[in-house]
């Protein structure tokens, strides 16, 4: 969110040339040029394209197992052109079943597995809305399929369906052939609406936010102007929804199905945030990259349409800051759990910078299918190459590794804050203390500790040798040294 | 106690005010002479000091019993449900009586007995010595001297006995000036900046009306101006909004006319009065206390309360003051109406920005003693220590603490003390447990036959004894050497809602992790390691000294020393945090440490080894949203 204005000194010199060149290169897509990513010749020591391998990610989750199988039905994107080629579905559902279900789901985005709880075996599934329509169509295969999902967890209680939309919107979608799972058709499922608004509302909200921080920060009525943008309200709703999903899976031990309309915006936000809350792996740098790669990139969040890479039509109705909102939610979580994330704020800001930059192929195009067609992985570099080559810059010094701990942020307005370091970072009045004094102090303390431990070891060795010189009773000190080492 | 009819009620429910699922704890309620005590079924204790109670309210009867809501001055709100209405009524009446005290002698401070002997008590009161503090600032000197004019509180009742004035200000000038100032509060020295030779002076408004003049007062200001050799002009800061100051003229008061005083630069800074602040806080509490707050109401409610805007105004004034001194080397005279509310805020915050001494634990105590207690901030009236005029109550001191908190947020390494220190002081300003804050001014403390220093204790030694709890692990004395100016950024979004003040007792509002503790733990570990090293070094030295020791002695050493080491090392090397102040020790029946209970609860919560899997009961989602 920065606007620049250049003043040309030479009077009379035509600004036209510059303007033309600028528009041409700023919007390559509209001028039949290649993205910068395709001509970028940077070299990195790490290859970011290797970070995500769907098969090994599912294996990490313990899949496939006796109840869940991997299907290659979408290998050539025949079933669904916005899904990845590799999908995890219930063992008891045949590929034929899947095809029938696909006919009843918007854009063929059938319910597939996103994440499985290692202990409860409850799963998070994602899909798009069912094509119920005005007449209230039903589809036996879809109904049976949802029941299979429920049974895969040997679950007696109902399957929980979270529809991310506000109730009204879901109803309104019936007019265009969409809708939601009705009680009659799905007696074994419970449906909740999460009241998250659509992409247009989010776009307007961000626009308002921009208006109050640029060019000048609205000072006199800061809080009410911030409120009038509704930005934090939307953040709160997304977080609240994700908490509900996570809590249901973890504490409620119930499988959940998440969808919105097409299942690539709000659904991605909810599943990825819930997974971040439940699975500590995704809170590492590598894990977060996998999460973005999996839930967002491979499952067809329409980055090209939402961001408008290289397109000069910036007023397009498809634009929306859905991914930015997700990163904002992650930042809010990292504020509340400062030691739970391996990555720091800079990591999140870098991701957002390159979301728009087109320097890397990572966020280009709308789906895996298109990326394969454009040979993105061969012709461009991955953002993760940049990050993984200099991991230390993106590492949170306070991170302490914990396994399998669920984090539930407090989604109260008393805790949510505007991400000043991102949204208002270009304002010269925002001075960030560099380096961050808290981090600095902690690093000093850690260095001091290492120094002490080293000295302690040395002394122990001296002490040890003294003892062995003079007596034979030296048992503990040598053990002590090894003990010291093992703890680190 | 004659007010207590029922001392114990069983099967009382304590509701969590932010839980929408009406979660509650069941336990027993006890009423003692000084505290209300609730012990829940898991033996956790909640102590509420009677003096802390701001309001008691009986809500309409429900099926589960009679609800009783107690609001405290430290922003704790408890919601009990008493099964029988009669019990509830008894408790309600007792609390109404107990929370309203008519005489100083009935305050908790006079019955509180921390088991100190007399000499400790005397020493405690001597801990803060203001004469020493003026010496530290560099006065008396060639320009400033100690005046004995107010030795018997003859000139000004609400000032301390010892006052520093310019050498050139003779007694007639002082007397004349004091007659021209509201409540006789004439201009005196509050802080002296020895490098810039500039001074912060304080007073009350002049009785100028529309045109009155006073030559002595004009001389007084000139004397202050002349006492600063490095600058020929001085600032006069009226901390009120201009409109209020003008309105005061109709009552024969007002502000300095620049034409009558030579070389002054007059400035309004627009801090609102105590009534505005009181209702602002009231609005803030309404907003923050609303449970299941609808999504957006919080921000607009916060803004409509105006609270953060007032905090900003106070800090802006302090920044103006500090810059006038540090940048222009100009002396500044600060006043408001009576010079004991806004003036205290601005003078003390200005000094805090200028002088890093006040950013230490001891220095902050001195600052409060000087600018607040000795210069007669009316603690008794403002904090409603005795049953009095509700219009006199105002959160002026709370605002001061909150301003300091905002500074600690912006300059995390500049302060020796932490948030807990500020909260603890806030707690005791209202607790009436220590003598420091009782009464409205020094004269009152001495007169009244209170004999405060014999009958009550000073808070400061107790805080110092617990210093460890209040130390900021990020404090770096080298960050700001002696007289460096802190320049806070006062853009609106830097002012945040002080969650740990207004929600310090609402446990569901606390985040579950804090970097602060991580750092504390690490620095604890380092201390431990340092000790281990010393121990080992000493051992080696000892061994070197007596290289030809007999074998038995050697064995004794090795069996003796490594043993505690082996015990210690795991505690530093594993992720377990080092032992924090245990909280069972502080629970005496006098409840001497209500605040500590709360603080140690927090600490113990944080320092608990975090379990591998947090098992939150289902439905937590609804609670945290």
């Amino acid at each position: 969110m920065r606007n620049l204005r250049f003043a040309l000194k030479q009077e009379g010199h035509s600004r036209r040339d510059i303007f033309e060149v600028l528009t041409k290169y700023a919007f390559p897509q509209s001028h039949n040029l290649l993205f910068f990513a395709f001509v970028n010749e940077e070299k990195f020591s790490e290859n970011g394209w290797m970070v995500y391998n769907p098969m090994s990610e599912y294996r990490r989750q313990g899949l496939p197992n006796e109840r869940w199988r991997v299907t290659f039905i979408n290998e050539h994107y025949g079933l669904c052109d916005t899904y990845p080629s590799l999908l995890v579905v219930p063992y008891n559902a045949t590929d034929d079943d899947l095809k029938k279900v696909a006919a009843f789901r918007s854009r063929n985005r059938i319910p597939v597995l996103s994440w499985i709880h290692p202990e409860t075996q409850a799963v998070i599934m994602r899909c798009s809305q069912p094509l119920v329509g005005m007449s209230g169509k039903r589809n036996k295969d879809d109904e049976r399929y949802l029941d299979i999902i429920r049974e895969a967890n040997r679950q007696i209680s109902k399957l929980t369906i979270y529809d991310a939309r506000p109730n009204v919107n879901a109803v309104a979608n019936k007019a265009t052939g969409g809708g939601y799972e009705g009680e009659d058709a799905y007696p074994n499922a419970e449906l909740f609406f999460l009241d998250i608004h659509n992409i247009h509302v989010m776009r307007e909200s961000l626009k308002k936010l921009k208006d109050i921080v640029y060019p000048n920060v609205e000072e006199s009525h800061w809080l009410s102007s911030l409120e009038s943008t509704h930005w934090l309200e939307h953040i709160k709703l997304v977080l609240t929804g994700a908490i509900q999903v996570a809590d249901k899976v973890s504490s409620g031990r119930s499988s959940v199905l998440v969808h919105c309309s097409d299942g690539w915006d709000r659904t991605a936000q909810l599943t990825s945030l819930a997974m971040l809350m439940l699975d500590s792996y995704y809170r590492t740098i590598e894990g977060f990259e996998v999460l973005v790669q999996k839930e967002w990139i491979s499952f067809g969040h329409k980055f090209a349409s939402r961001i408008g890479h290289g397109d000069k039509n910036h007023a397009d109705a498809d634009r929306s800051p859905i991914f930015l909102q997700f990163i904002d939610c992650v930042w809010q979580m990292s504020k509340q759990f400062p030691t739970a994330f391996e990555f720091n704020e800079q990591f999140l800001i870098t991701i957002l910078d390159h979301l728009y930059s087109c320097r890397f192929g990572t966020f280009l195009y709308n789906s895996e299918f298109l990326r394969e067609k454009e040979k993105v992985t061969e012709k461009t570099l991955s953002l993760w190459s940049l990050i993984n080559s200099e991991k230390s810059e993106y590492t949170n010094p306070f991170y302490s590794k914990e396994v399998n701990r669920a984090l539930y942020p407090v989604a109260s307005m008393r805790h949510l804050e505007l991400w000043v370091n991102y949204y208002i970072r270009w304002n010269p009045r925002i001075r960030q203390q560099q380096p961050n004094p808290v981090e600095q102090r902690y690093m000093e303390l850690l260095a001091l500790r290492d120094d002490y431990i080293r000295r302690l070891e040395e002394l122990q060795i001296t002490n040890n040798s003294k003892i062995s010189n003079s007596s034979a009773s030296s048992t503990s000190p040598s053990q002590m040294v090894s003990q010291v080492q093992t703890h680190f | 106690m004659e007010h207590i009819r029922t001392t114990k009620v069983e099967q009382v429910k304590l509701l969590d005010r932010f839980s929408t699922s009406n979660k509650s704890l069941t336990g027993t309620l006890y009423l003692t002479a000084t505290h209300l005590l609730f012990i829940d079924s898991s033996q956790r204790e909640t102590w509420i000091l009677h003096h802390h109670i701001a309001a008691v309210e009986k809500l309409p009867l429900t099926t589960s019993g009679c609800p009783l809501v107690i609001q405290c001055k430290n922003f704790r709100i408890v919601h009990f449900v008493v099964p029988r209405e009669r019990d509830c009524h008894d408790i309600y009446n007792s609390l109404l009586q107990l929370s309203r005290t008519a005489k100083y002698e009935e305050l908790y401070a006079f019955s509180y007995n921390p088991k100190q002997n007399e000499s400790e008590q005397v020493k405690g009161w001597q801990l803060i010595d203001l004469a020493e503090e003026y010496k530290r600032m560099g006065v008396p000197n060639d320009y400033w001297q100690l005046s004995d004019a107010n030795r018997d509180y003859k000139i000004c009742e609400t000032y301390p006995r010892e006052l520093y004035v310019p050498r050139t200000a003779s007694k007639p000038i002082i007397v004349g000036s004091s007659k021209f100032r509201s409540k006789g509060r004439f201009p005196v020295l509050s802080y002296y900046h020895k490098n810039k030779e500039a001074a912060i002076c304080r007073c009350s408004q002049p009785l100028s009306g529309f045109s009155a003049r006073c030559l002595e007062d004009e001389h007084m200001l000139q004397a202050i101006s002349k006492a600063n050799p490095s600058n020929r002009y001085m600032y006069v800061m009226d901390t009120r909004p201009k409109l209020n100051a003008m309105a005061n003229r109709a009552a024969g008061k007002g502000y300095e006319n620049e034409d009558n005083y030579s070389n002054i630069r007059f400035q309004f800074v627009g801090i609102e009065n105590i009534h505005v602040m009181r209702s602002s806080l009231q609005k803030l509490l309404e907003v923050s206390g609303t449970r299941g707050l609808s999504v957006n109401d919080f921000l607009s409610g916060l803004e409509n309360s105006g609270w953060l805007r007032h905090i900003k105004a106070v800090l802006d004034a302090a920044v103006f003051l500090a810059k006038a001194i540090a940048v222009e080397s100009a002396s500044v005279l600060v006043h408001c109406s009576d010079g004991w509310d806004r003036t205290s805020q601005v003078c003390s915050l200005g000094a805090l920005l200028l002088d890093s001494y006040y950013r230490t634990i001891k220095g902050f105590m001195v600052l409060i003693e000087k600018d607040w207690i000795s210069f007669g901030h009316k603690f008794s009236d403002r904090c409603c220590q005795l049953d009095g005029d509700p219009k006199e109550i105002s959160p002026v001191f709370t605002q001061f603490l909150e301003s300091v908190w905002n500074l600690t947020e912006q300059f995390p390494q500049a302060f020796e003390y932490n948030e807990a220190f500020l909260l603890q002081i806030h707690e005791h300003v209202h607790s009436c447990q220590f003598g420091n804050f009782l009464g409205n001014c020094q004269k009152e403390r001495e007169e009244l036959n209170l004999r405060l220093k014999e009958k009550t204790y000073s808070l400061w030694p107790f805080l110092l004894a617990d210093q460890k709890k209040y130390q900021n692990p990020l404090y770096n004395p080298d960050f700001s050497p002696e007289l460096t100016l802190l320049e806070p950024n006062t853009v609106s979004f830097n002012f945040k809602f002080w969650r740990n003040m207004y929600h310090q007792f609402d446990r569901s509002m606390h985040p579950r992790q804090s970097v602060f503790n991580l750092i504390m733990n690490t620095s604890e570990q380092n201390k431990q390691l340092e000790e281990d090293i010393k121990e080992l070094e000493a051992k080696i030295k000892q061994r070197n000294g007596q290289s030809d020791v007999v074998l038995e002695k050697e064995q004794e050493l090795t069996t003796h020393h490594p043993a505690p080491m082996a015990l210690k090392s795991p505690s530093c090397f594993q992720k377990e945090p080092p032992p924090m102040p245990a909280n069972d020790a502080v629970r005496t029946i006098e409840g001497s440490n209500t605040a500590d209970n709360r603080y140690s609860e927090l600490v113990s919560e944080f320092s608990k080894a975090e379990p591998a899997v947090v098992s939150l009961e289902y439905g937590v989602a609804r609670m945290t949203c």
Side-chain angles (χ1 to χ4, degrees), chain B residues 75-116:
Chain B
F75 308 118
R76 183 202 280 267
I77 293 180
V78 282
H79 193 149
F80 291 116
V81 178
V82 185
R84 289 199 315 164
E85 201 195 350
R86 248 202 51 165
D87 292 335
C88 182
H89 191 74
D90 283 349
I91 290 180
Y92 173 77
N93 280 337
S94 304
L95 287 180
L96 274 190
Q97 297 296 325
L98 291 166
S99 61
R100 281 187 207 146
T101 315
K103 278 188 272 168
Y104 281 115
E105 288 84 341
E106 288 170 8
L107 290 175
Y108 185 36
F110 292 90
S111 59
Y112 172 62
N113 180 8
K115 314 209 167 48
Q116 263 191 352

Side-chain angles (χ1 to χ4, degrees), chain A residues 119 217-227 230 232-233 236-237 240 243-244 247-248 251-252 336-340 397-398 400-415 417 420 424 429-431 433 437-438 440-442 444-446 448-449 451-453 455-456 459-460 462-463 466-467 470-471 473 476-477 480 483-484 487-488, chain B residues 18 287-290 293 295-303 308 312 410-413 473-475 487-493 496-497 499 503 508-515 518-519 522-523 525-526 529-530 532-533 536-537 539-540 543-544 551 554-555 558 562 565-566 569-570 572-575 610-614 616-621 624-625:
Chain A
E119 281 146 33
V217 176
E218 166 66 48
E219 275 264 9
S220 49
H221 296 286
W222 168 246
L223 289 172
S224 59
S225 357
L226 179 61
E227 183 202 292
H230 298 286
L232 289 178
E233 181 184 352
K236 180 186 151 126
L237 281 172
T240 308
I243 292 170
Q244 274 173 273
D247 190 44
K248 195 80 185 173
S251 316
Q336 292 188 31
F337 299 99
T339 71
F398 306 116
S400 62
K401 203 175 158 160
E402 285 169 308
V403 181
N404 288 338
R405 184 165 162 242
L407 300 185
Y408 297 105
V410 184
S412 144
M413 284 314 288
R414 299 170 181 86
H415 280 270
E417 296 178 33
V420 168
I424 325 187
R429 290 186 66 190
I430 306 297
R431 355 162 252 211
Q433 285 190 34
V438 185
Q440 203 183 9
R441 174 79 179 145
Y442 187 62
E444 280 170 22
L445 284 172
L446 284 185
L448 198 65
R449 188 177 73 173
D451 190 44
Y452 281 153
I453 289 171
R455 273 174 58 196
L456 197 63
L459 285 171
Q460 272 164 346
T462 348
N463 187 29
K466 291 256 175 207
I467 292 171
S470 55
S471 81
S473 66
S476 56
M480 284 279 317
Q483 194 181 9
V484 166
H487 281 298
F488 285 85
Chain B
F18 287 107
V287 174
S288 71
T290 316
L293 202 61
V295 204
N296 251 337
D297 295 349
F298 182 65
L299 287 177
S300 63
L302 194 56
E303 176 166 300
L308 296 182
K312 175 176 153 63
Q410 277 198 43
F411 302 97
Q413 68 273 64
L474 299 174
Y475 177 54
E487 288 182 75
N489 186 348
T490 57
V491 288
S492 311
F493 48 77
K496 302 221 169 82
F497 175 66
R499 206 172 47 228
H503 289 303
S508 56
M509 286 288 151
H510 294 295
R512 298 187 190 90
Q513 276 185 348
S514 117
V515 176
L518 192 69
I519 289 175
T522 318
S523 81
Q525 286 179 3
N526 279 351
L529 281 167
E530 213 169 346
D532 290 355
I533 288 178
L536 259 177
E537 270 174 349
K539 213 165 94 184
I540 289 172
R543 207 182 300 280
N544 285 344
L551 211 112
E554 199 62 63
Q555 261 170 337
T558 43
M565 290 249 339
S569 339
C572 6
F573 297 135
Q574 280 168 1
K575 247 194 72 232
E610 311 252 11
V613 181
V614 173
L616 284 165
E617 71 274 43
Y618 171 59
V620 70
T624 52
C625 297

Side-chain angles (χ1 to χ4, degrees), chain A residues 115 117-124 153 155 157-158 160 162 242-256 274 277-278 404-408, chain B residues 512 613-624:
Chain A
W115 190 76
H117 195 287
E119 281 146 33
T120 68
Q121 298 292 312
V123 297
I124 299 178
N153 188 22
Q155 181 179 320
S157 61
K158 291 184 175 181
T160 313
Y162 286 107
I243 292 170
Q244 274 173 273
V245 172
D247 190 44
K248 195 80 185 173
V249 172
S250 175
S251 316
R253 301 174 158 262
S254 163
S255 290
V256 299
M277 289 170 196
L278 293 171
N404 288 338
R405 184 165 162 242
L407 300 185
Y408 297 105
Chain B
R512 298 187 190 90
V613 181
V614 173
S615 56
L616 284 165
E617 71 274 43
Y618 171 59
V620 70
R622 254 172 297 142
M623 264 183 62
T624 52

Side-chain angles (χ1 to χ4, degrees), chain B residues 97-307:
Chain B
Q97 297 296 325
L98 291 166
S99 61
R100 281 187 207 146
T101 315
K103 278 188 272 168
Y104 281 115
E105 288 84 341
E106 288 170 8
L107 290 175
Y108 185 36
F110 292 90
S111 59
Y112 172 62
N113 180 8
K115 314 209 167 48
Q116 263 191 352
N117 63 37
E118 219 166 282
S119 75
E120 280 173 321
Q121 187 178 15
V122 172
K123 247 168 94 193
W125 280 113
Q126 288 165 345
L127 186 71
I128 306 293
D129 180 0
L130 289 184
E132 200 57 45
E133 167 59 12
Y134 284 101
K135 225 183 265 167
R136 189 194 66 86
M137 292 182 211
V139 287
N141 59 16
D142 292 349
Y143 299 104
W144 295 89
Q145 66 177 6
L146 178 65
S147 156
D148 58 2
N150 201 38
R151 196 189 287 151
D152 305 313
Y153 300 114
K154 283 223 175 87
I155 295 182
C156 174
E157 292 197 329
T158 56
Y159 266 175
R161 290 170 192 272
E162 270 96 45
L163 291 168
Y164 291 81
V165 294
R167 272 190 196 278
T168 49
S170 61
K171 189 129 187 217
I173 290 182
I174 293 177
V175 173
S177 169
S178 79
K179 290 200 171 121
F180 189 63
R181 293 276 167 182
S182 174
K183 307 272 189 328
R185 295 171 69 94
F186 62 98
V188 294
L189 181 78
S190 160
Y191 176 76
Y192 181 75
H193 194 287
K194 52 184 174 219
N195 290 2
K196 304 280 180 193
E197 300 180 298
I200 302 178
C201 295
R202 56 184 293 169
C203 61
S204 60
Q205 64 185 337
L207 303 175
S208 56
F210 289 97
S211 59
R213 292 183 60 166
C214 169
L215 281 179
E216 287 93 341
D217 193 59
E218 287 159 28
H219 278 304
M220 187 73 196
L221 262 66
Q222 205 163 11
I224 292 173
S225 188
K226 290 243 172 77
N228 177 357
S230 42
N231 204 321
R232 34 176 292 282
Y233 60 87
M234 69 180 281
Y235 282 100
V236 175
M237 270 173 89
D238 190 327
T239 55
R240 299 168 292 182
K242 189 171 180 184
L243 219 62
N244 298 19
M246 282 167 61
N248 260 301
R249 286 200 301 195
K253 299 162 188 171
Y255 53 92
E256 290 81 358
N257 183 343
E258 264 181 294
D259 301 336
N260 298 342
Y261 295 84
S262 50
N263 296 324
I264 68 161
R265 295 189 180 180
F266 188 81
Q267 179 81 31
F268 286 111
V269 288
I271 304 174
E272 299 287 348
N273 65 23
I274 57 166
H275 311 294
V276 175
M277 300 308 188
R278 179 178 57 245
S279 72
S280 171
L281 178 68
Q282 197 49 47
K283 284 186 205 147
L284 178 81
L285 294 181
E286 273 164 30
V287 174
S288 71
T290 316
R291 75 176 185 180
L293 202 61
S294 88
V295 204
N296 251 337
D297 295 349
F298 182 65
L299 287 177
S300 63
L302 194 56
E303 176 166 300
N304 289 338
S305 77
W307 185 253

Side-chain angles (χ1 to χ4, degrees), chain A residues 97 151 179 256 306 329:
Chain A
D97 293 338
E151 280 164 1
V256 299
R306 296 289 174 260
C329 291

Side-chain angles (χ1 to χ4, degrees), chain A residues 79-140:
Chain A
L79 180 77
C80 171
D81 61 359
T82 56
Y83 262 6
S85 57
L86 205 112
L87 299 168
V88 176
V89 294
Y91 194 83
N92 292 336
T94 64
D95 282 1
D96 267 353
D97 293 338
L98 299 181
K99 278 180 195 151
K100 287 179 197 153
V101 173
F104 191 61
R105 289 279 164 181
S106 171
R107 318 230 181 214
N108 298 343
R109 293 171 70 94
I110 57 165
V112 293
L113 180 141
S114 268
W115 190 76
I116 183 163
H117 195 287
E119 281 146 33
T120 68
Q121 298 292 312
V123 297
I124 299 178
M125 307 285 291
R126 59 181 292 171
C127 63
S128 60
Q129 63 183 343
L131 298 174
V132 176
M134 290 298 270
S135 54
K137 269 189 299 237
R138 289 178 58 165
N139 181 316
K140 280 275 169 257

Side-chain angles (χ1 to χ4, degrees), chain A residues 162-167 169-170 193-199 201-202 233-242 244-245 258-261 265-267 269-270 273 322 325:
Chain A
Y162 286 107
D163 189 326
R165 301 167 290 183
N167 194 345
N169 296 27
F193 293 102
L194 294 177
D195 289 331
I196 302 172
H197 285 278
N198 63 23
I199 57 167
V201 176
M202 302 308 182
E233 181 184 352
H234 296 314
I235 297 281
K236 180 186 151 126
L237 281 172
V238 173
L239 271 176
T240 308
Q244 274 173 273
V245 172
V258 182
H259 70 74
C260 45
S261 297
D265 292 313
R266 287 165 278 196
T267 303
Q269 289 179 330
L270 290 170
L273 283 171
I322 301 299
Q325 212 168 35

